[in-house]
Amino acid sequence: MSARIIDGKTISADLRGKVTDAVHRLRRDRGIVPGLAVVLVGNNPASRVYVRNKSKAVTEAGLRSFDQHMPEDVSEAELLDLIARLNADAQVNGILIQLPLPPQINADKIIAAIDPDKDVDGFHPLNAGRLASGLPGLVPCTPLGCVRLAKTVHASLAGLEAVVIGRSNIVGKPVAQLLLAENATVTIAHSKTLDLPAVCARADLLVAALGRPEMVLGAWIKPGATVIDVGINRIAGEHGRPRIVGDVAHAEARGIAGAITPVPGGVGPMTIACLLLNTLIAACMQNGLPAPKI
Ligand code: NAD
């Protein structure tokens, strides 16, 4: 039997619609318009596309967009100065630094300079610590999207055997923390894991975030499991045309899993929707209002 496809496009459109409605109510009832500043450094073509898509989504949801474009050779001091100004600007509720940054910039130092209450990417060490401690805070967007997708399949994740492949600060670790907070039994696998197929075979819920094109094979997947494929890998397709694939061998996994996200059209669209949600939450927090339950 073929797995149910978890349609990230539809699910994210629904979330964006709900965020848009909540933003409208916030403006109408309180006169507050949440604002997001996306900082792009240099001319990396992929980063430019991401930033353009984010800005479009921000405007469509009724938020204010304060895009900042700095030259490739910007100094660390200049970037820190920009962040200090954005931290102090009451109209800016969220700050996102588009990664990667050029080599002269220490990304950790830049992320640590963002006001944690405006850290809509959830990468600030304080927010990472809050997540690990089970305290409220801003949570990274892609992991949040993964968990929301899994919850469209399972009403509760409690007690599920969850395996996360990847331990990056951006995806793997925060996904694992979120699944733990949902009372799943979580295993984190990584590049030094022995017998990855055997670890994957335990998973009722498998999250693949390793950045290796189609490495997770159908035979590794427990029949009926839910598979969330975070990977975005560009490979050469037919006639040398580039093709985007995930970290899971989708065609074969689809015959074994119970539900699976496609790539593209799975986790990707959820990331932007969760960024809008985080900006709304940040604006509410900064104005002493409860975070909307969306
Ligand atoms: P990363 O390179 O920082 O981390 C990859 C992790 O996978 C590492 O922890 C490593 O230990 C593990 N790993 C690597 N090779 C492995 C192997 N052979 N076996 C087991 N584990 C292995 O990558 P990242 O930033 O966490 O991103 C992971 C993937 O998710 C990438 O494809 C990236 O493009 C994608 N991504 C997608 C979104 C989205 O919006 N959909 C957002 C962020 C990242």
Side-chain angles (χ1 to χ4, degrees), residues 1-293:
M1 216 179 70
S2 195
R4 163 178 158 192
I5 296 297
I6 307 171
D7 181 357
K9 276 193 198 159
T10 304
I11 298 164
S12 66
D14 179 61
L15 176 55
R16 281 168 66 162
K18 287 178 177 149
V19 170
T20 305
D21 292 346
V23 167
H24 173 73
R25 285 195 296 276
L26 194 61
R27 180 201 290 253
R28 186 193 60 200
D29 300 341
R30 307 264 179 180
I32 298 166
V33 184
L36 174 69
V38 176
V39 180
L40 172 67
V41 178
N43 288 309
N44 178 317
S47 293
R48 286 173 69 114
V49 172
Y50 288 139
V51 168
R52 208 170 39 236
N53 290 344
K54 281 171 189 166
S55 303
K56 189 165 166 272
V58 163
T59 316
E60 280 172 7
L63 290 89
R64 273 200 197 108
S65 172
F66 299 94
D67 285 356
Q68 308 285 329
H69 193 174
M70 305 292 273
E72 182 79 26
D73 62 353
V74 67
S75 71
E76 201 170 85
E78 284 170 312
L79 201 49
L80 287 169
D81 187 53
L82 171 65
I83 291 169
R85 278 186 276 126
L86 295 172
N87 282 343
D89 186 340
Q91 288 200 316
V92 174
N93 303 109
I95 302 170
L96 181 150
I97 312 291
Q98 184 63 45
L99 301 175
L101 292 171
Q104 76 276 15
I105 311 280
N106 179 338
D108 289 341
K109 202 166 159 185
I110 298 299
I111 289 166
I114 298 172
D115 177 344
D117 291 344
K118 297 190 177 188
D119 167 41
V120 284
D121 248 344
F123 295 160
H124 191 287
L126 193 72
N127 283 321
R130 283 173 176 155
L131 178 59
S133 309
L135 297 171
L138 291 163
V139 172
C141 303
T142 301
L144 198 56
C146 291
V147 173
R148 290 184 79 108
L149 289 176
K151 285 172 114 179
T152 65
V153 180
H154 305 270
S156 166
L157 305 182
L160 290 186
E161 282 280 350
V163 172
V164 178
I165 318 173
R167 58 176 162 183
S168 72
N169 290 338
I170 293 175
V171 189
K173 277 188 215 154
V175 168
Q177 298 286 1
L178 285 171
L179 293 174
L180 199 56
E182 295 285 340
N183 297 313
T185 301
V186 184
T187 302
I188 304 178
H190 48 77
S191 54
K192 299 286 185 282
T193 293
L194 303 177
D195 202 353
L196 186 60
V199 174
C200 291
R202 295 208 298 264
D204 303 310
L205 173 60
L206 181 63
V207 181
L210 57 163
R212 300 280 179 269
E214 300 182 316
M215 188 177 140
V216 177
L217 303 180
W220 300 8
I221 294 167
K222 182 176 176 178
T226 298
V227 179
I228 307 291
D229 189 352
V230 188
I232 301 178
N233 308 289
R234 189 178 289 266
I235 62 166
E238 267 175 47
H239 311 299
R241 249 183 265 139
R243 194 161 71 89
I244 303 288
V245 297
D247 289 342
V248 177
H250 186 86
E252 51 183 78
R254 207 175 155 173
I256 297 172
I260 187 167
T261 58
V263 177
V267 175
M270 287 301 283
T271 299
I272 289 190
C274 289
L275 173 66
L276 303 176
L277 176 61
N278 274 356
T279 307
L280 170 64
I281 291 172
C284 290
M285 283 183 347
Q286 287 157 39
N287 286 282
L289 300 169
K293 296 256 175 292

